[in-house]
Amino acid sequence: LDFAKLALAELGSISERRTALLLDPHLNGGLPAFLAPASGLESGLMLLQYTAAALASENKVLAHPASADSIPTSANQEDHVSMGSIAGRHARTVLEHVERILAIEALCAAQALDLRLAMLPGVAAGAGVRDAHARLRAIVHHLDADRELGADLAAATALVRSGALADLDG
């Protein structure tokens, strides 16, 4: 479980960095800052990236191997204890964080796709991207103006957790 949480933490870090790229107008190929409809007046998806960064950062702490520590127990009869239960609890938390981080990336990617396709009339997304976008948009609407995003994040996280974005054929 120590190795699993390390791998999951890395997946979360990579996803958070992709999200950051989507929101940065210097790196996202002409999309507005924070994918905000009224960039400069609205926050868009900026706070979601803050959330992803915080979760990814916490995962780095939780990824510290529990097996690196051992405390003798049972009147020193058990001199090496795996601390597996700690690794298990941390792994579960890291997994939950990564599900949220991936959901944030999906929300930002859907918003970026909406904006990009609006800039390129006649252009369509590929089949797999189109299917993933449709599944997300069935439960979370495009961000037309700033709104509280907690319900959007919860819905997208449930979608990620369900595996519905992992079983696409496209």
Side-chain angles (χ1 to χ4, degrees):
L1 290 173
D2 279 341
F3 289 112
K5 65 184 183 173
L6 184 60
L8 285 167
E10 186 63 18
L11 175 65
S13 290
I14 292 167
S15 177
E16 184 281 325
R17 289 291 75 208
R18 286 191 302 250
T19 296
L21 291 173
L22 284 171
L23 300 181
D24 187 336
H26 299 102
L27 301 172
N28 68 13
L31 296 174
F34 313 116
L35 304 175
S39 183
L41 298 175
E42 296 185 341
S43 298
L45 301 176
M46 175 181 63
L47 292 178
L48 286 181
Q49 193 270 327
Y50 285 10
T51 302
L55 293 170
S57 184
E58 185 177 347
N59 285 347
K60 292 171 188 175
V61 173
L62 293 170
H64 176 78
S67 58
D69 186 26
S70 181
I71 298 173
T73 59
S74 190
N76 288 310
Q77 291 179 358
E78 296 178 18
D79 60 351
H80 187 79
V81 180
S82 74
M83 302 299 169
S85 63
I86 295 170
R89 283 188 302 109
H90 288 177
R92 179 180 299 164
T93 301
V94 170
L95 175 61
E96 290 167 355
H97 289 176
V98 171
E99 288 170 337
R100 284 187 192 93
I101 293 168
L102 292 171
I104 289 168
E105 182 182 4
L107 288 167
C108 293
Q111 183 79 4
L113 182 62
D114 292 341
L115 296 170
R116 180 70 69 208
L117 292 177
M119 296 166 65
L120 302 169
V123 174
V129 170
R130 189 172 52 247
D131 290 347
H133 183 264
R135 289 179 187 194
L136 184 65
R137 284 294 178 237
I139 59 169
V140 177
H141 299 291
H142 176 82
L143 184 69
D144 292 320
D146 278 353
R147 64 175 181 256
E148 198 281 319
L149 296 171
D152 294 355
L153 179 54
T157 301
L159 186 68
V160 167
R161 190 171 287 138
S162 76
L165 298 177
D167 68 352
L168 300 170
D169 293 328

